[in-house]
Amino acid sequence: MDITNLIGPETICLDLKAKTKDEALEELVDLLDSAGKLANKEQFLADLWKREEIGNTGFEDGIAIPHAKSDAVALPGVAVGISRSGIDYGAEDGELSDVFFMLASPDGGDHHHIEVLAQLSTKLIEDGFINKLKEAEDIEQARVLLTDIPESNTYSLQSDVSTQYAEPISPWKLRLAHIKEHLLFGTSHMIPFIVAGGVLLSLSVMMSGHGGVPESGILADIAQMGIAGLTLFTAILGGYIAYSIADKPGLAPGMIGSWVAVNQYSTGFLGAIVVGFFAGFVVHLLKKIQLPESMSSLSSIFIYPLVGTFVTCGAVMWVIGSPIATAMSTMNEWLTGMAGSGKVALGTVLGAMTAFDMGGPINKVATLFAQTQVNTQPWLMGGVGIAICTPPLGLALATFLSPKKFKRDEREAGKAAGIMGMIGISEGAIPFAAADPARVLPAIVAGGIVGNVIGFMFHVLNHAPWGGWIVLPVVDGKLGYIVGTLAGALTTAFIVIALKKTVTDDDKDDLLSRSYRSVEGEGEADVLAVTSCPSGVAHTFLAAKSLEKAAYSMGIKIKVETQGANGITNRISEADVEKARMVILAHDVAIKEPERFKNIKVLDVCTKDAILNAIELLHTRR
């Protein structure tokens, strides 16, 4: 998180009225609250004092940096205050404190406070920075010093951020958002286990030539590899949900508790989710208990994991294990009993959700529902695996059947979409949906429904937690799978062709589509960018291409580094940073080596912003 995004005029006070430490903290908290950064200022103030009890945040040279990670923070922010008379803050050197930086960071698995502290430290060690800040004549001058944004350009980034976050988030919406983040954090770590385990087990069964798990030879060994992956994934799911809530001390309680729930009570993935949240909140509450200083060093590696594991496992064994197991058993019996119209209804819902946002949160809910039950209800993946690939395949087919309805760059994108569809990556349809959502979204949803329902009705069994034709070797009912894929893709293609108008390419579009690319040499680019997404595949490279295309159309030299499944490519060097005006970090996961950009203007966005609004992002370079 760039500090530039966190400091606005409304969170700077050049003349604090406070005379004591209590009053200073309250005045700075009021600044954050008025800026819409806090959901509950009283709770945040209490959390600040808990942090102060661990150790005073007053430092030498009159600087104080009170900070806290708290559930009461709606949006990360930094409040800056100057005291003209000085305040007895209890600093170790005994001097009065007169420059205050208050950091507010949401609680959870992120580390906003660490990133901002690192960036703030680079400011504080600059010669004369503190004196210049104290001498600032107005808030705008102070903000320029803090963010390094030239005065003529202060409208660009900060004004956009202030406008975007003007409305505070309600505590209820904030809590729901946190729950979603914790769940996605767990599932992102779980998916590699079910993919590796499911595919290996399915391959061993398929190659054995009979319906059972091989009992001897190399195929039995491969089957055991797969079984290990499918056995571990629930523990990984619960463990990393707890980790997201309570950091590392939650990992052991979440994993061990989930293991007990799944192996002793057969709760399945549903139990792992419940136990993961329970373990995370247990450890989170334990961390709020004030421990003697002599025990604080043992808390994270001994006390919290030990007590958290005991409480979590005890709750599973004596309270929640059996009810969760009953709920899971009831759900599996309901799914097993579905047939005819029941399968049509379920297929319609899952197909629409899978296709709708092409790898987004709605897609993830539907695919996760099927993926986590691939070993017990493989018919769910039989339909969902088809719906995963119909959006990109349908758009690729449309560009082939009716090329006059698409521009040249869209026709080129159609080739890539076809490949992505075959290997089960829904995101291949994103460029089309971004350019024309009103026509494309209804088409891909219809195609996903048709494909999913046909898969269900043909009783297709997909033993791999993935989609596309890449999984055909482990599909029972291959004909139905192929028919469903073709029917879904054709449905999408025909609807798109019927809705879209004929377009005409001009010479400029032709040249643009063939010429835009990233700078590869060092010290040549005006703008830098880094793109990265959880899978390291689709959104990473779609965001990169969108930025390259926008830069070419604007006459800007851009160098894009991708941090994807194959590691870092087109790495940005020190020479690039020295030459460029700014860097765009378009990411959905943490960027590797962010410290490279501490001396350059940073625009921090998600990959979807880069895909949809590349030109607007590049306009902020001035």
Side-chain angles (χ1 to χ4, degrees), residues 408-409 411-412 505-517 545 549 552:
R408 180 180 293 273
D409 61 335
R411 296 197 294 271
E412 292 298 319
D505 284 327
D506 56 28
D507 292 339
K508 182 179 179 180
D509 289 336
D510 183 28
L511 179 63
L512 174 63
S513 65
R514 291 184 283 109
S515 301
Y516 63 85
R517 62 186 179 84
K545 286 301 177 185
K549 179 179 177 180
Y552 183 88

Side-chain angles (χ1 to χ4, degrees), residues 176-254:
L176 288 177
H178 280 255
I179 290 173
K180 175 184 171 184
E181 289 174 1
H182 300 321
L183 179 60
L184 290 178
F185 189 82
T187 57
S188 67
H189 287 82
M190 171 204 73
I191 287 175
F193 286 82
I194 60 174
V195 170
V199 171
L200 286 171
L201 178 59
S202 301
L203 284 174
S204 68
V205 173
M206 180 193 69
M207 295 171 66
S208 69
H210 57 83
V213 176
E215 298 179 356
S216 61
I218 190 171
L219 291 181
D221 294 336
I222 294 174
Q224 289 303 312
M225 298 176 195
I227 291 171
L230 294 177
T231 302
L232 288 171
F233 89 81
T234 49
I236 298 299
L237 174 61
Y240 277 95
I241 289 174
Y243 179 95
S244 179
I245 297 169
D247 293 326
K248 288 183 181 179
L251 195 56

Side-chain angles (χ1 to χ4, degrees), residues 155-307:
Y155 71 91
S156 60
L157 178 59
Q158 187 59 44
S159 61
D160 291 345
V161 174
S162 298
T163 300
Q164 183 178 357
Y165 296 129
E167 292 294 328
I169 299 176
S170 70
W172 174 246
K173 288 184 178 180
L174 178 63
R175 189 167 296 278
L176 288 177
H178 280 255
I179 290 173
K180 175 184 171 184
E181 289 174 1
H182 300 321
L183 179 60
L184 290 178
F185 189 82
T187 57
S188 67
H189 287 82
M190 171 204 73
I191 287 175
F193 286 82
I194 60 174
V195 170
V199 171
L200 286 171
L201 178 59
S202 301
L203 284 174
S204 68
V205 173
M206 180 193 69
M207 295 171 66
S208 69
H210 57 83
V213 176
E215 298 179 356
S216 61
I218 190 171
L219 291 181
D221 294 336
I222 294 174
Q224 289 303 312
M225 298 176 195
I227 291 171
L230 294 177
T231 302
L232 288 171
F233 89 81
T234 49
I236 298 299
L237 174 61
Y240 277 95
I241 289 174
Y243 179 95
S244 179
I245 297 169
D247 293 326
K248 288 183 181 179
L251 195 56
M255 283 192 173
I256 297 172
S258 297
W259 180 272
V260 170
V262 173
N263 286 274
Q264 292 191 18
Y265 294 89
S266 301
T267 61
F269 81 97
L270 181 62
I273 292 173
V274 173
V275 173
F277 276 104
F278 182 84
F281 287 120
V282 165
V283 176
H284 178 71
L285 292 174
L286 288 173
K287 291 168 69 176
K288 292 181 178 293
I289 300 174
Q290 297 302 313
L291 298 174
E293 289 188 16
S294 59
M295 301 178 64
S296 60
S297 61
L298 295 174
S299 58
S300 295
I301 61 173
F302 183 77
I303 297 174
Y304 298 146
L306 175 62
V307 177

Side-chain angles (χ1 to χ4, degrees), residues 334-364:
W334 171 69
L335 289 172
T336 303
M338 291 193 73
S341 60
K343 280 193 172 183
V344 170
L346 183 62
T348 299
V349 173
L350 289 179
M353 292 177 65
T354 301
F356 177 71
D357 58 351
M358 300 153 287
I362 297 175
N363 166 283
K364 289 292 188 292

Side-chain angles (χ1 to χ4, degrees), residues 373-390:
Q373 298 176 90
V374 69
N375 57 334
T376 58
Q377 307 285 350
W379 62 271
L380 289 170
M381 276 308 303
V384 171
I386 295 172
I388 287 172
C389 65
T390 53

Side-chain angles (χ1 to χ4, degrees), residues 3-13 31-32 35 37 76-80 139-140 142-143 146-147 158-159 161-162:
I3 193 173
T4 303
N5 295 354
L6 307 182
I7 301 177
E10 68 278 9
T11 60
I12 299 175
C13 177
L31 289 176
L32 292 170
K37 303 294 184 181
V78 177
V80 182
I139 288 176
E140 188 58 36
R143 192 172 69 83
L146 290 161
T147 60
Q158 187 59 44
S159 61
V161 174
S162 298

